[in-house]
Amino acid sequence: MPAAFVQAKSNSGAEGTTTIAVTFDSNVVAGNTIVLSWFNDNQTNNLDTVTDNLGNSYAAIDGLNSNLTDGGSQYAANIVGGSCTVTVTFTGTAGFRGVIAHEISGVSTTPLDVNPAQAQLTPGTGTDAVTSGGDTPSVDGCYIFGATWTTDGATGHSITQGTGFTARQTITDAPNFIKAMSEDQVQAVAASIAATFTISVAHSMMTFMVALKPTTVVIAPIPATPLVGNLRW
């Protein structure tokens, strides 16, 4: 079964929040994977835990600190199925926190592949100028998750998904100001790839990409065809 997007959900919290919870609209399916990106605009109060009500175990993928903010990615593989609420807890309060989570099917039980990430103070407004930086997955058919977050306090811009990607979730911090976006694609053939986005007004950004390996497909050997007739030497 090839890797595929199932569903996504996001949430954010204003000043004073120490936890952010996201509840998927539909039950998650046993054996699938959850991948998420989190953001915190107070660098002195860090991520504490990522948990869910089903008891799935989350592992850190990456993390960045920039512009007095921090963020990162986590995943849970081979999950327990059911109604699922993911809760991200921080060590203190902040002006803004956010989480975007995707459920993915058809990936390996040990799915993590390449995961570039970078912060850009001045990426500019060119097409695909906001980027995680590129890397090459080790196998064909990887699910590519991307997420980007605005790391400064300026307002008044939009975010557009990168070329070849599908936008999944947005988080709005104020009217007409998209704070974050997630995107994805399934890469048919492994090649250098980056999560990219385009912003309408110059801002500082933090961008993550996670490649998840598809389930291994075992091809049965073709039986030998018996020889018919007499062999002459």
Side-chain angles (χ1 to χ4, degrees):
M1 180 174 64
F5 169 81
V6 178
Q7 61 179 328
K9 197 71 174 179
S10 60
N11 196 13
S12 63
E15 187 170 357
T17 57
T18 57
T19 63
I20 301 293
V22 290
T23 301
F24 287 105
D25 291 335
S26 302
N27 287 1
V28 298
V29 176
N32 283 356
T33 290
I34 294 172
V35 60
L36 64 85
S37 179
W38 60 269
F39 177 80
N40 166 39
D41 78 355
N42 185 338
Q43 192 173 338
T44 61
N45 295 324
N46 297 318
L47 178 73
D48 188 11
T49 60
V50 179
T51 60
D52 68 35
N53 61 303
L54 297 173
N56 292 305
S57 178
Y58 290 79
I61 300 172
D62 50 31
L64 291 173
N65 297 303
S66 176
N67 208 24
L68 301 180
T69 67
D70 60 357
S73 304
Q74 300 232 349
Y75 77 103
N78 196 22
I79 59 173
V80 175
S83 177
C84 183
T85 298
V86 180
T87 301
V88 179
T89 303
F90 299 89
T91 59
T93 61
F96 177 88
R97 265 77 184 269
V99 178
I100 300 174
H102 288 200
E103 180 191 3
I104 314 306
S105 66
V107 297
S108 168
T109 56
T110 54
L112 187 61
D113 205 285
V114 294
N115 51 280
Q118 73 170 340
Q120 298 169 283
L121 294 179
T122 55
T125 58
T127 300
D128 298 334
V130 176
T131 176
S132 63
D135 208 340
T136 303
S138 62
V139 297
D140 297 341
C142 281
Y143 175 85
I144 309 297
F145 168 83
T148 195
W149 301 84
T150 306
T151 64
D152 58 34
T155 61
H157 82 151
S158 62
I159 304 174
T160 304
Q161 73 272 17
T163 302
F165 285 87
T166 298
R168 296 299 184 186
Q169 290 284 296
T170 58
I171 292 179
T172 303
D173 191 28
N176 302 316
F177 178 49
I178 297 177
K179 181 75 172 181
M181 175 177 280
S182 71
E183 64 181 16
D184 65 5
Q185 67 167 277
V186 176
Q187 188 184 41
V189 178
S192 182
I193 189 170
T196 60
F197 299 85
T198 301
I199 53 177
S200 62
V201 178
H203 285 282
S204 301
M205 306 295 293
M206 181 181 292
T207 306
F208 302 90
M209 188 197 94
V210 179
L212 300 175
K213 292 179 288 189
T215 301
T216 300
V217 178
V218 178
I219 301 176
I222 300 173
T225 302
L227 294 174
V228 179
N230 296 324
L231 293 178
R232 301 183 65 180
W233 301 91

